[in-house]
Amino acid sequence: MAVDSVRAGTPGARNNVSPWVIAPVVAIAAFMEVLDISIANVALLHIAGGLSATQDEATWVLTSYTVTNAVVLPISGWLSNVLGRKRFFMICIAGFTVTSLACGLAPTLGTLILFRCLQGITGGGLQPVSQAILSDAFPPAKRGMAFAMYGIAVVFAPAIGPTLGGWITDHFSWRWVFLINLPVGLILIPLVQALIRDPDYMKEARHKRGGKRPRVDLIGFSLLVVGLGALQIMLDRGQQDDWWHSGFILAMTCLAAVGLIAFLIWEWYDKDPIVDVHLFRNRNFAVANLFMMILGFVLLASTAVLPLYVQELMGYTATQAGLVLTPGGIAIICLMPLVGRLVGKVQTRYLIGFGFLVSGIGLYTMTGFSLEADYNTIMLARVLQASALGFLFIPISTAAYDGLPMEKSNDASAIINLARNLGGSIGISLATTLLARRSQFHQSRLAEEITPYNPAYQDQIHQIGQATGAGDLASHGMLYQDLLNQASMLGYLDVFKFMAILFLCMVPLVFIIRRGVAGQGAPAGAH
């Protein structure tokens, strides 16, 4: 009977503390972890210089974190069930705080990479556990507002990360990129201890086990480590090592494919899986994970590519580039609560379709950028594209949980957060590769027109010489530099177009989601 009450979302199944008090606490924990993924990117050159390392060596500071983080994400549901969700959450916060301090004090690059690995391990559970706590704290009819709080954290953090990281490294030191986590963690630990409780269904499950130690799926865990670890390394290092022309990247690709396929097969038939892949039998959950992966893809890829565009081609400083992104982040914060209310009144698939359509249109407007575009043009296009993300994250999260028993919320949260993070890794990797390849393509096509037999070319050289007083050789150099800028700009526009088409292709797929409003559709305990 107790489990039935939990599934129905009755107050007795939840913490006596108001969910509106719990929500900001767990959202800040998730924000702290997501921020650390993007904030260190802009400090990479400073880290390399400060620790006497090359830029190529310093990139392992990012790779080590993403690899270990990706491995822990999908098993965080299992760890919550075994250790207790509150205990696991506090271990993650404490571990993330201590390892952040260690990263900030690291004397060498080797020790920094080691501590980043540990930081990724301890931080891997913060996102999914935060979302699972919010899912259980609010009844299904109000779950949209819970995910609004969580969405502000995980969507706004990547947008503000580069700006904050650049400001910190410019005005203080790269070490403060990690040290800022220390006061946040110290504040969160006593708050979590006082406010968070494990739900009844988790207590009952532990009571049924008695003192019996749960079985550890070592084979499944080993396959997961190999598969996800190799995949993350491949994505992080692929463009840098020229993809499959590198034997190392080819080996990582094969390891990832074999490891992940074997993992899925093993977990499907295992009696006590470390990741419950059977959740994908639920149509809403499967489609929601696809949408969340695409959302992560575009969110992180656009956040990485747009600042590069304005810095590389338009001469913006790091702070100015951050100001291009910040209004979009503010728009997300303002719209998230509105979308949280709409989720209880409008079918989630309509909200998701609207979000994909508007954000896709925003991305398509970016294909009209030129080297003469002003700040307002670029900023407003970003606001249009980013504001619609609020109509994606909350409804997708709500659709994923619709129809799942509450005792599966830990597993569901782990998988859907993994989908978003993997989508982000794939997005950044594919966007940087596409940018490099398309820029080379446009350069070769434009170079075909630079010939002494082209009257337009000769006329342009003459005009540059008259305007600048430069000789023929200097005029040729200026024109070639202009060609490189134009080719690079066209490469960026191709990346924006690709992301726009990807989002617009998702619009008709929203009708695969089961008809119904969150909290008013299928029963919460239905399979």
Side-chain angles (χ1 to χ4, degrees), residues 119-278:
Q119 190 186 35
I121 291 172
T122 54
L126 290 177
Q127 293 182 58
V129 174
S130 296
Q131 190 170 16
I133 290 172
L134 288 173
S135 175
D136 286 349
F138 287 78
K142 296 183 178 180
R143 198 170 278 164
M145 292 305 297
F147 293 144
M149 296 291 296
Y150 181 73
I152 289 173
V154 300
V155 177
F156 182 62
I160 198 66
T163 307
L164 182 60
W167 184 83
I168 289 173
T169 51
D170 287 343
H171 292 83
F172 299 97
S173 163
W174 64 264
R175 297 183 181 276
W176 281 100
V177 166
F178 305 108
L179 294 176
I180 59 170
N181 294 326
L182 186 60
V184 180
L186 293 176
I187 293 171
L188 285 177
I189 290 173
L191 289 176
V192 171
Q193 173 64 33
L195 299 176
I196 307 300
R197 298 288 183 273
D198 282 348
D200 293 344
Y201 66 82
M202 295 188 71
K203 295 176 182 177
E204 287 187 7
R206 288 200 298 271
H207 179 71
K208 289 178 181 178
R209 289 200 307 263
K212 189 177 179 181
R213 177 178 294 180
R215 171 180 168 269
V216 179
D217 181 13
L218 290 177
I219 295 178
F221 179 70
S222 300
L223 292 172
L224 180 69
V225 170
V226 171
L228 277 182
L231 176 63
Q232 199 67 53
I233 292 173
M234 180 198 78
L235 293 172
D236 284 358
R237 304 283 301 182
Q239 174 60 23
Q240 199 166 356
D241 293 349
D242 200 19
W243 289 102
W244 291 283
H245 291 92
S246 164
F248 175 71
I249 295 300
L250 192 60
M252 289 297 104
T253 305
C254 294
L255 270 178
V258 172
L260 291 176
I261 292 172
F263 169 76
L264 291 173
I265 295 172
W266 176 267
E267 294 297 286
W268 188 267
Y269 292 103
D270 192 68
K271 294 181 180 179
D272 188 17
I274 199 167
V275 177
D276 190 357
V277 294
H278 291 93

Side-chain angles (χ1 to χ4, degrees), residues 305-318 320-321 324 366 368-379 381 481-482 484-486 488-490 492-493 496:
V305 169
L306 189 58
L308 285 177
Y309 176 83
V310 296
Q311 286 180 277
E312 180 184 347
L313 299 180
M314 305 186 70
Y316 282 37
T317 64
Q320 290 171 332
V324 171
M366 295 181 185
F369 287 172
S370 69
L371 297 180
E372 288 76 35
D374 60 11
Y375 168 81
N376 287 335
T377 300
I378 299 172
M379 181 270 292
Q481 183 60 51
D482 187 51
L484 294 179
N485 290 339
Q486 291 290 337
S488 184
M489 181 197 71
L490 291 173
Y492 279 105
L493 301 189
F496 294 139

Side-chain angles (χ1 to χ4, degrees), residues 361-428:
I361 292 172
L363 286 165
Y364 195 78
T365 61
M366 295 181 185
T367 63
F369 287 172
S370 69
L371 297 180
E372 288 76 35
D374 60 11
Y375 168 81
N376 287 335
T377 300
I378 299 172
M379 181 270 292
L380 290 174
R382 173 63 178 181
V383 169
L384 178 62
Q385 181 255 324
S387 60
L389 297 179
F391 289 87
L392 292 174
F393 182 86
I394 301 171
I396 291 172
S397 299
T398 305
Y401 283 87
D402 187 26
L404 295 181
M406 288 191 71
E407 57 265 29
K408 293 296 183 181
S409 61
N410 291 325
D411 300 286
S413 181
I415 293 173
I416 200 166
N417 277 277
L418 175 66
R420 191 187 69 253
N421 279 26
L422 275 182
S425 296
I426 295 170
I428 292 174

Side-chain angles (χ1 to χ4, degrees), residues 11-50:
R14 301 188 302 274
N15 196 345
N16 291 328
V17 180
S18 169
W20 297 108
V21 177
I22 295 173
V25 173
V26 297
I28 290 171
F31 179 86
M32 178 174 66
E33 196 272 330
V34 178
L35 183 69
D36 225 64
I37 298 175
S38 60
I39 195 173
N41 292 7
V42 294
L44 210 57
L45 288 176
H46 296 265
I47 292 172

